[in-house]
Amino acid sequence: MLSSLLITLILLPVAAVHALWGFGIWFPVRDEERLAHAVVGARNTDRMPGPIPCFLVAGVLTMMAIVVWGSGTVVGFIAWGGAVVFLVRGTMAYMRLWRRMTPEQPFARLDQMYFGPLCFVLAVLFATRGFFG
């Protein structure tokens, strides 16, 4: 129950920010190029992803925040899947290949200081949810 609450409290605001980006609202940095450098980080990126990828991420994060409140085997598998996805994403923040693909600052610094560790926290929370069902 606590892991479900924490997952929801983390994922819903992140989903909301992705939805804002889908609407072209550049939050928290009002300049699209600066925001792209902070949250995308790919080489030569000066634009944010379009509405479709932003809304897809927002939708998946929202569904994950909701499904953890369910019960049963399917929810357990989904929770374990979330744990794996967030573990992989968290690990990527520290891999050379990922750093070569996403070298832009401040993304590279933010990724290692905040985004990666947050993904590790989510991986643990999803694993806890999957284990204790």
Side-chain angles (χ1 to χ4, degrees), residues 5-94:
L5 177 63
L6 292 172
I7 288 168
T8 300
L9 290 174
I10 293 169
L11 289 187
L12 286 183
V14 175
V17 170
H18 280 80
L20 288 175
W21 296 340
F23 287 115
I25 299 169
W26 309 133
F27 174 84
V29 180
R30 294 192 178 155
D31 176 81
E32 181 179 12
E33 183 176 347
R34 287 180 53 216
L35 183 62
H37 284 256
V39 301
V40 177
R43 190 178 311 280
N44 301 320
T45 297
D46 59 355
R47 303 209 56 192
M48 288 292 289
I52 292 174
C54 291
F55 287 132
L56 282 173
V57 171
V60 168
L61 293 176
T62 300
M63 287 188 321
M64 293 300 288
I66 293 169
V67 77
V68 294
W69 291 97
S71 62
T73 305
V74 173
V75 173
F77 281 122
I78 291 170
W80 281 111
V84 169
V85 167
F86 283 108
L87 178 63
V88 168
R89 174 57 185 90
T91 303
M92 286 172 53
Y94 305 99

